[in-house]
């Protein structure tokens, strides 16, 4: 059983608490860009923090709540490190149980054939884009496997830190670079990853 904290985002989209009006307000791309331009960081809820977290999963397990845009790394003592994330936009959400198959620092990004076909900007990198600060995978990547098969999904960094808290990706889980570096340093290959997302398609084989 997994107990999650107060909801900040729903299937209809992300909301954040405005301390000035004391109300929940919609948080979209335009507001996210403005917030990041003003404060040089994401809203407090999406910043890395230790939180109470009740679960039967063992420490080292990653639990992703796609609706709330949080990734939890289970810690001893019924706690977890909570990170803000960006998740799949409409039609790209998924849920299931996978594992960390391998990891990489400043990884090469190779768009899948489906993305190359639908996205002209991805075609120039069909053979791979070298790692670096402009690479879509950011500073680190955790490659998610089902058994011994690469699912093509990743938990990775991003050169667009303002996008944390939004539904923006093609199914991968994105984090700001500082957070993915921190997560990468704590997670072992083989770690269990549970992805929860209301209304999402289940990953095949799960």
């Amino acid at each position: 059983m997994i107990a999650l904290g107060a909801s900040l985002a729903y299937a209809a989209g992300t909301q954040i608490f405005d301390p000035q009006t004391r109300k929940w307000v919609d948080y979209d791309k335009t507001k996210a860009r403005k917030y990041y331009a003003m404060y040089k960081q994401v809203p407090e809820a999406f910043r890395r923090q230790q939180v109470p977290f009740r679960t039967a999963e063992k420490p080292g397990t990653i639990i992703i709540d796609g609706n709330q845009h949080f990734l939890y790394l289970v810690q001893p003592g019924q706690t977890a490190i909570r990170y803000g994330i960006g998740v799949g936009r409409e039609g790209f959400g998924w849920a299931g149980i996978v594992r960390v198959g391998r990891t990489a620092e400043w990884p090469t990004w190779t768009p899948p054939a489906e993305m190359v076909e639908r996205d002209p900007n991805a075609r120039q990198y069909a053979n791979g884009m070298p790692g670096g600060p402009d690479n879509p995978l950011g500073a680190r990547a955790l490659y998610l496997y089902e058994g011994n098969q690469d699912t093509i999904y990743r938990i990775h960094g991003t050169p667009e830190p303002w996008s944390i808290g939004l539904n923006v990706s093609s199914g991968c889980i994105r984090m700001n670079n500082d957070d993915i570096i921190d997560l990468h340093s704590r997670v072992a290959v083989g770690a269990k990853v549970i992805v929860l997302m209301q209304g999402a398609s289940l990953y095949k084989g799960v």
Side-chain angles (χ1 to χ4, degrees):
M1 179 179 176
I2 300 164
L4 300 174
S7 178
L8 288 181
Y10 307 91
T14 308
Q15 290 190 322
I16 61 172
F17 186 74
D18 184 340
Q20 293 182 331
T21 64
R22 302 188 63 79
K23 294 181 179 179
W24 293 93
V25 297
D26 291 339
Y27 188 67
D28 56 26
K29 279 188 177 183
T30 300
K31 291 178 181 176
R33 285 179 182 271
K34 287 181 178 178
Y35 190 101
Y36 197 86
M38 185 177 298
Y39 299 108
K40 304 303 179 188
Q41 58 184 344
V42 295
E44 183 176 358
F46 299 126
R47 298 174 204 164
R48 183 168 74 241
Q49 52 196 284
Q50 188 105 2
V51 297
F53 192 79
R54 292 187 296 108
T55 178
E57 299 295 339
K58 67 181 183 180
T61 301
I62 293 172
I63 300 174
I64 293 169
D65 184 343
N67 295 325
Q68 297 188 47
H69 300 87
F70 292 144
L71 181 152
Y72 297 87
L73 178 62
V74 178
Q75 301 290 289
Q78 297 297 303
T79 65
I81 301 173
R82 190 181 78 189
Y83 306 83
I85 57 174
V87 299
R89 60 188 182 274
E90 186 175 357
F92 289 91
W94 63 283
I97 300 174
V98 289
R99 68 179 182 88
V100 177
R102 68 182 181 93
T103 69
E105 300 184 14
W106 295 107
T108 297
W109 175 61
T110 304
E114 296 85 356
M115 182 181 288
V116 170
E117 185 175 340
R118 70 172 181 266
D119 185 353
N121 293 326
R123 287 176 194 151
Q124 62 182 312
Y125 302 116
N127 295 320
M129 178 183 183
D134 297 324
N135 189 295
L137 295 184
R140 303 287 187 274
L142 310 181
Y143 294 77
L144 303 182
Y145 280 54
E146 197 277 312
N148 293 320
Q149 180 181 356
D150 188 343
T151 66
I152 77 166
Y153 296 121
R154 286 83 176 95
I155 302 170
H156 62 79
T158 179
E160 299 175 332
W162 56 266
S163 67
I164 301 306
L166 300 176
N167 301 349
V168 288
S169 77
S170 296
C172 289
I173 307 301
R174 66 170 63 177
M175 306 172 68
N176 73 50
N177 280 335
D178 286 346
D179 283 351
I180 191 62
I181 289 171
D182 182 81
L183 181 66
H184 178 271
S185 72
R186 298 173 186 271
V187 171
V189 170
K192 184 178 183 179
V193 180
I194 302 170
V195 181
L196 308 171
M197 189 174 297
Q198 203 169 37
S201 58
L202 289 175
Y203 181 72
K204 64 181 181 180
V206 176

